[in-house]
Amino acid sequence: MPRLTFLPHETICPQGAVIEAEPGVSICDAALAQGIEIEHACDRCAACTTCHVIVRAGGDSLTPADDLEEDLLDRAWGLEPESRLSCQALVGEDDLVIEIPLYTLNMVSERR
């Protein structure tokens, strides 16, 4: 089972985290199942960019981004070539190293 290593994020997972995920599950669903609260304002239906992550290693094993994801990513804060929407990126067979950006463009965050 692939290991997903989340790099430290000052509010979501300050110490970082390492979890395991079944191939075929989205990065977002795997993280949420393990208590890593990646923001997902559109409820994981590819309608926003709040679940934006940067896949620092292992990204070639993910399902390819489709046109909708690519178009949405153009609006993400801190976009990089390795950026993905975690709700759309399905885990493959390889381990991943994932960075959650410090900010999102969510104007209606319910977090306080």
Side-chain angles (χ1 to χ4, degrees), residues 11-85:
T11 56
I12 296 173
C13 55
Q15 304 302 316
V18 178
I19 64 172
E20 291 187 344
E22 292 284 340
V25 69
S26 73
I27 292 172
C28 188
D29 285 341
L32 292 170
Q34 296 297 318
I36 302 169
E37 293 296 324
I38 291 179
E39 197 166 350
H40 53 284
C42 71
D43 201 26
R44 304 180 305 268
C45 69
C48 72
T49 63
T50 60
C51 71
H52 167 230
V53 296
I54 303 163
V55 181
R56 296 292 182 198
D60 290 342
S61 71
L62 297 171
T63 55
D66 63 16
D67 290 341
L68 174 60
E69 181 181 354
E70 293 286 350
D71 289 345
L72 285 168
L73 280 169
D74 287 340
R75 297 185 233 158
W77 182 90
L79 183 67
E80 296 192 18
E82 300 83 16
S83 289
R84 293 294 305 267
L85 295 181

Side-chain angles (χ1 to χ4, degrees), residues 12 41 88 105-106:
I12 296 173
Q88 299 301 300
L105 297 179
N106 188 2

